[in-house]
Amino acid sequence: MEYLLSEVLSHVSPQLKRALLFTSAFERFCIPLCAAVLNAVYADDVDNREATLADLHGLMQSNLFLTSLDNVDYWYRYHHIIRRLLEHRLQQTESSQTIATLHSHASRWFAAEGLLEEAIYHAKLADEATRVSQLMEQACFQALQLDDWQALKRWLALTPSYTAKRPVILVARALIAVYHFRGLAGYTLALEAEEALEQGDPGYTIEERRILSGLIAMVRSNFALASLAGEDSVAYAEQALELLPNELEGPRSAAELNYFVAQNQLGRALEVNAEIEQLIQLDAGMVSGIRRPRLLMGLGDANMTLANVRSVQRAAQALIVIGEEIARPLFTSWGHLGLGWVCYQRNELTNAVAHFEQVRAQQDFSHSRTVLDSLVGLTLSLNAAGRTSAAERILDELWTYVNEQSIIQARTLIDILAVLIGSEEASDELFAACAKALRSQVVTGLMIVPALAAVRVCLDQNRADALDRAESMLRACGEIAAENRLVRRQIETVSY
């Protein structure tokens, strides 16, 4: 192969030979990219540049040593052995400064084309730390605007440490913390980002500052929601909706969901239900894309509160369909969670297990709250079906997941589940901790069920200490149930 390459290179012009060596620096290349690089190398020699580019184009069309990567012969790559040989010659014949310049111009071309991953790769090879930082921020900002959580996590994992305190990076980390159900960490990072923005960083436009402020307000709304501060959550959600432009459908729909869930938390489930139903019935062009599934999530939340199981089922089924259509596991997992909850309420335990298992299977692409609730539901369903050993295994998995994700507030819940399946003894301290946990976070139907089931365990024991524990737990649940018909029903059933 090396001999054949040497023969080919010996019969081409020095300019074309040099261009071939340059292209070996790229995983893939095309004529526009080559033109951008040659413009830099032959800036003062237009004739030579154009001739070399034409020769290079002809070589591409001959497919000698090259593989076309698409149906229109736009992108090409070398056979890996050929590329390694050419790259070796490039290192031998060109200065490190020339090679760095090559990567620098390639980085700028890729960035202009919106191909940020390759732009960052070549900026790193050019040893341009400031540019790497700027491109990383641009990539994170783009992922934030597109509501692309997986891309955001990938970019943050690649972000160099010297960019950690930049406002965009702080906001990105805050939203990822929210995604992983770590509200306090997200809130702290959002405040840090807000302070950094107030210091007047010249690197952001007025529009970018506005968007970042809107995203910070959204994180604050989420934290207020998790702290049961519904009015504050509504106010911050409204602020986010005011700041975020209409074209940013993903972040706006997330803020809108916070608004509706907070209104539901404040006892306005009927109004929320009516408003979302009206929005969903609007023209599809007005409620489409990511907004529609988030409205369905809000609708499901309101109907859980209203104990309208059929409406929850319809919303969950629609979520699964839409999530599959737009390839967003985030929404399909919420749908399966809702259907799992519906089946558990109807005592259709086999179906409940199947839906919770769907979330468990795609937990890497799901919101941590969804995964947590589904693992809880799976433990309850297996235990109710008499599959205690399987329930214990899921409980162990839940414990591992909670610790890996640092979801501190869920640890007491796991202890209560352990009491329910008989692997831990009930105690006054445990029930007091559970009552405190119930008062400190938003509790869905599934998360309150273990507490009420543990109350049943105490009632079955029919001892004075156990009855006292049951009473204290019912009191804690009752504080949550003021406007939640589903929880009220469950408490009334247990009390009866």
Side-chain angles (χ1 to χ4, degrees):
M1 187 74 78
E2 185 171 4
Y3 171 77
L4 179 60
L5 177 64
S6 297
E7 280 295 304
V8 171
L9 293 179
S10 67
H11 289 85
V12 301
S13 68
Q15 292 82 4
L16 179 57
K17 178 180 178 180
R18 194 180 189 201
L20 290 173
L21 297 184
F22 285 164
T23 55
S24 71
F26 312 132
E27 291 282 348
R28 59 174 184 160
F29 54 91
C30 59
I31 285 296
L33 170 60
C34 295
V37 172
L38 291 176
N39 282 344
V41 176
Y42 299 113
D44 301 323
D45 191 350
V46 177
D47 292 339
N48 219 338
R49 182 181 69 206
E50 294 302 322
T52 302
L53 193 60
D55 290 343
L56 190 59
H57 192 196
L59 191 65
M60 286 182 182
Q61 291 180 322
S62 73
N63 286 326
L64 184 63
F65 302 131
L66 297 172
T67 300
S68 176
L69 299 178
D70 50 48
N71 295 327
V72 294
D73 293 336
Y74 184 79
W75 287 107
Y76 291 86
R77 69 167 176 81
Y78 287 113
H79 183 281
H80 66 279
I81 295 177
I82 293 296
R83 184 187 174 208
R84 189 166 65 245
L85 293 171
L86 286 171
E87 204 169 13
H88 178 66
R89 295 193 181 201
L90 175 68
Q91 300 290 337
Q92 289 180 320
T93 58
E94 299 290 345
S95 68
S96 57
Q97 183 178 354
T98 298
I99 295 174
T101 301
L102 168 71
H103 287 297
S104 178
H105 283 278
S107 174
R108 281 163 171 74
W109 184 87
F110 279 116
E113 295 295 312
L115 302 170
L116 294 180
E117 193 160 349
E118 286 159 300
I120 291 169
Y121 172 76
H122 286 286
K124 285 182 176 179
L125 290 176
D127 199 24
E128 296 178 328
T130 300
R131 181 163 172 75
V132 170
S133 175
Q134 292 169 342
L135 288 169
M136 281 292 188
E137 282 200 67
Q138 185 180 341
C140 286
F141 200 72
Q142 186 181 84
L144 284 170
Q145 294 180 82
L146 294 173
D147 200 42
D148 190 340
W149 298 97
Q150 297 304 319
L152 190 59
K153 286 196 288 186
R154 187 174 71 251
W155 287 124
L156 284 177
L158 296 172
T159 301
S161 58
Y162 52 79
T163 67
K165 298 301 181 181
R166 297 283 295 164
V168 168
I169 304 302
L170 288 168
V171 170
R173 289 170 59 202
L175 286 166
I176 290 298
V178 169
Y179 183 83
H180 287 300
F181 201 32
R182 297 196 293 268
L184 180 58
Y187 176 72
T188 303
L189 287 164
L191 292 184
E192 199 173 341
E194 191 171 49
E195 183 179 349
L197 270 182
E198 288 173 354
Q199 291 174 358
D201 192 310
Y204 300 109
T205 66
I206 293 174
E207 181 64 13
E208 287 171 342
R209 288 175 178 280
R210 185 179 177 87
I211 291 171
L212 287 172
S213 296
L215 293 170
I216 290 168
M218 189 175 74
V219 174
R220 297 186 74 163
S221 171
N222 191 279
F223 180 71
L225 187 64
S227 303
L228 301 182
E231 295 289 359
D232 288 344
S233 182
V234 167
Y236 283 123
E238 289 176 333
Q239 182 182 346
L241 289 168
E242 182 181 340
L243 291 168
L244 295 169
N246 290 332
E247 58 268 24
L248 296 189
E249 186 183 50
R252 280 187 63 86
S253 65
E256 187 177 38
L257 177 61
N258 278 357
Y259 172 84
F260 284 126
V261 174
Q263 292 282 12
N264 181 32
Q265 189 184 98
L266 292 167
R268 302 164 190 160
L270 282 171
E271 293 88 339
V272 168
N273 185 62
E275 186 174 352
I276 296 179
E277 287 279 14
Q278 185 178 11
L279 284 170
I280 289 177
Q281 288 170 9
L282 291 174
D283 180 75
M286 296 177 66
V287 186
S288 58
I290 294 175
R291 189 186 181 197
R292 182 175 287 271
R294 286 222 166 95
L295 286 174
L296 287 168
M297 289 166 64
L299 191 64
D301 183 70
N303 280 290
M304 278 189 183
T305 299
L306 297 169
N308 191 339
V309 176
R310 287 186 179 179
S311 293
V312 174
Q313 182 178 9
R314 285 196 297 270
Q317 288 170 335
L319 260 177
I320 291 172
V321 171
I322 293 175
E324 289 174 349
E325 286 177 352
I326 63 176
R328 294 292 291 266
L330 177 69
F331 299 128
T332 57
S333 62
W334 276 109
H336 282 295
L337 170 63
L339 290 180
W341 175 85
V342 167
C343 292
Y344 181 81
Q345 292 296 317
R346 292 173 172 169
N347 205 34
E348 299 170 0
L349 299 177
T350 300
N351 290 336
V353 168
H355 286 297
F356 293 137
E357 284 283 14
Q358 286 285 339
V359 182
R360 182 181 175 222
Q362 55 186 17
Q363 58 183 268
D364 290 341
F365 305 99
S366 303
H367 192 290
S368 292
R369 179 62 178 271
T370 323
V371 178
L372 175 63
D373 279 6
S374 294
L375 291 175
V376 170
L378 190 53
T379 304
L380 290 168
S381 300
L382 291 169
N383 187 66
R387 298 168 61 185
T388 307
S389 297
E392 288 177 345
R393 286 196 297 272
I394 297 299
L395 190 60
D396 288 340
E397 184 179 324
L398 179 57
W399 178 253
T400 300
Y401 182 80
V402 163
N403 283 309
E404 286 177 350
Q405 302 295 328
S406 301
I407 309 174
I408 299 171
Q409 63 266 47
R411 291 173 182 168
T412 303
L413 171 69
I414 294 174
D415 291 337
I416 287 293
L417 283 169
V419 169
L420 177 60
I421 65 177
S423 60
E424 185 173 322
E425 290 293 326
S427 67
D428 290 338
E429 293 78 11
L430 175 57
F431 270 57
C434 184
K436 181 180 179 181
L438 287 172
R439 294 186 184 100
S440 66
Q441 61 180 308
V442 180
V443 182
T444 64
L446 275 177
M447 292 190 75
I448 202 168
V449 168
L452 293 175
V455 169
R456 287 182 182 272
V457 172
C458 291
L459 293 175
D460 290 341
Q461 292 174 350
N462 198 26
R463 299 194 313 265
D465 60 336
L467 293 175
D468 286 343
R469 291 180 194 131
E471 183 180 359
S472 67
M473 184 64 75
L474 281 173
R475 193 180 305 117
C477 292
E479 292 177 11
I480 300 166
E483 299 295 340
N484 192 312
R485 296 182 187 180
L486 173 65
V487 177
R488 285 209 311 272
R489 279 190 193 176
Q490 292 171 334
I491 291 174
E492 288 164 3
T493 302
V494 173
S495 300
Y496 178 77

